[in-house]
Amino acid sequence: MATGERLRPYALAALTALLLALSVALAVPFLPALTWGVALAIIAWPLNSWLRNRITANRTCAAVVASAVVILLVAIPSGYVAQQVAREVSSSTEQAQQEAVQGALRERLLATPVLRDAVAWAERPEVNLEGEAKKAAREYLGNGMWLARGSVAILLQLAIAIYILYYSLRDGDHFLRAARRLLPVTPEEADRVFDRAGGSVHANLYASLVTSAINGVNAALLFWATGLPAPILWGVVVFVVSMLPVAGIFLIWLPAAAYLALTDHWGGAVALVAWGVGSSVLVDTLLYTWLAGGRMRLHPVPALLSFIGGLALFGASGIVLGPAILAVTVAVLDVWHTRATNNPLPPVEGATSAGTT
């Protein structure tokens, strides 16, 4: 009996570890929805609190209104940009087809020294680019089930993100009280951890908005200066696309530079390439990490590593998860340091999340 009693804690620990691992496995497929649902809830928490205090004491009504505001702020610009981009792409495609029929596109390619050899290679009798392109398109897009599954997966992630956003706003204070009870730290130490986590989300989304705005304004001015069509529209597109940490403005400036090169506007093409590379290094990397690291109270070097490492490990969700993990790690190390030195924790510097309001 004594041996069995001694083994009970170990059996309970093993069972707990197994259940935690299974819970993580259940959540991993919905990591993007979980990440962005919670991140948007942290950003919208001041609005939710204001609604509770000034408009309605009903937390359900406040959460519904705050969630609707967030969804509209995200959906309206994204939908507008998607519609305008689709229209521009359709117009450009029609123009390219007309030029191809008239032979103007081929003449432009032949007039470009860098592309002249590529045109000659593509026009050899044994090379059938059109046939290979059609074959690749059939293999890539011919499976309707693949497209359906992709669309359903995206819609499911969006639905779960909205679901998490709503309940995080409605019951966020209850969730955090439960987390405080489960964490093996004092309430003051838990507030420190939650403040760091919420601060990292605010810092990274703030840095993303600032750098995206800079990229958007610069893109609009450069498109206008080089004579590209719809500079204001493409400036807005660059602002939205800059929020994507993986693709970024590369999707915009590379085709635009190629178009300018094909139309013999080499100065504009070089300027676009220089701007794209410079923005990636100076704005999207150095300025971003300086802004985010400053608000997270971290040196730019670990802030940059957490951002890049988060992207490599978690994909697009890493823009939030990477810095948040680092911020929480620093907070936990602060707890260990204060316990080892018997020094009290400094007061939390303001409320950055639902846990500190």
Side-chain angles (χ1 to χ4, degrees):
M1 278 300 285
T3 302
E5 290 295 332
R6 287 197 300 269
L7 291 177
R8 284 179 182 272
Y10 298 102
L12 178 60
L15 178 61
T16 302
L18 175 61
L19 292 175
L20 287 174
L22 291 174
S23 299
V24 171
L26 290 173
V28 164
F30 308 106
L31 188 61
L34 287 166
T35 301
W36 292 105
V38 173
L40 291 175
I42 292 174
I43 296 300
W45 187 260
L47 172 62
N48 185 63
S49 299
W50 182 84
L51 290 170
R52 287 191 189 183
N53 296 330
R54 300 292 181 86
I55 306 299
T56 175
N58 189 309
R59 60 180 184 172
T60 299
C61 292
V64 168
V65 174
S67 299
V69 170
V70 171
I71 293 169
L72 290 175
L73 288 176
V74 173
I76 291 177
S78 301
Y80 169 77
V81 169
Q83 180 186 13
Q84 295 299 320
V85 169
R87 182 181 300 176
E88 288 291 332
V89 169
S90 176
S91 175
S92 300
T93 302
E94 292 178 359
Q95 180 180 356
Q97 289 175 346
Q98 292 176 358
E99 291 182 350
V101 171
Q102 298 171 357
L105 181 60
R106 181 178 180 275
E107 292 178 1
R108 289 179 180 175
L109 293 174
L110 290 174
T112 305
V114 179
L115 300 175
R116 188 179 299 123
D117 294 337
V119 174
W121 175 85
E123 290 182 343
R124 293 185 303 171
E126 63 270 20
V127 177
N128 186 5
L129 289 181
E130 182 178 358
E132 293 297 326
K134 290 180 179 179
K135 180 181 177 181
R138 284 195 302 267
E139 293 177 354
Y140 189 69
L141 301 174
N143 190 348
M145 290 300 296
W146 180 86
L147 293 174
R149 284 196 300 269
S151 300
V152 170
I154 293 173
L155 292 176
L156 181 61
Q157 293 283 353
L158 289 174
I160 294 174
I162 294 172
Y163 188 81
I164 293 170
L165 167 65
Y166 164 72
Y167 277 104
S168 296
L169 292 174
R170 200 193 75 165
D171 303 324
D173 45 0
H174 299 308
F175 293 157
L176 290 171
R177 280 197 294 268
R180 284 190 182 93
R181 291 195 300 269
L182 293 174
L183 290 175
V185 294
T186 65
E188 292 77 13
E189 293 169 342
D191 285 341
R192 171 69 50 180
V193 173
F194 293 147
D195 177 72
R196 285 279 191 169
S200 71
V201 174
H202 277 273
N204 283 280
L205 293 183
Y206 163 79
S208 293
L209 287 173
V210 171
T211 54
S212 297
I214 292 173
N215 284 333
V217 171
N218 289 339
L221 293 174
L222 191 56
F223 274 47
W224 171 77
T226 55
L228 288 168
I232 295 178
L233 168 63
W234 288 108
V236 175
V237 172
V238 167
F239 170 77
V240 174
V241 175
S242 293
M243 303 293 290
L244 302 176
V246 178
I249 59 175
F250 175 82
L251 297 174
I252 306 298
W253 67 259
L254 184 61
Y259 171 80
L260 289 173
L262 290 174
T263 54
D264 292 330
H265 294 85
W266 286 99
V270 171
L272 268 178
V273 172
W275 168 75
V277 175
S279 295
S280 298
V281 175
L282 299 177
V283 178
D284 294 338
T285 301
L286 298 180
L287 179 60
Y288 180 95
T289 53
W290 180 75
L291 291 172
R295 293 175 70 91
M296 290 170 61
R297 301 186 295 278
L298 289 174
H299 191 274
V301 171
L304 174 62
L305 293 178
S306 68
F307 175 73
I308 298 176
L311 291 176
L313 190 59
F314 301 109
S317 301
I319 190 176
V320 174
L321 289 178
I325 291 172
L326 178 61
V328 171
T329 301
V330 171
V332 172
L333 292 175
D334 284 342
V335 170
W336 279 108
H337 175 73
T338 55
R339 289 187 176 186
T341 57
N342 293 321
N343 292 325
L345 280 170
V348 173
E349 298 179 6
T352 58
S353 70
T356 55
T357 55

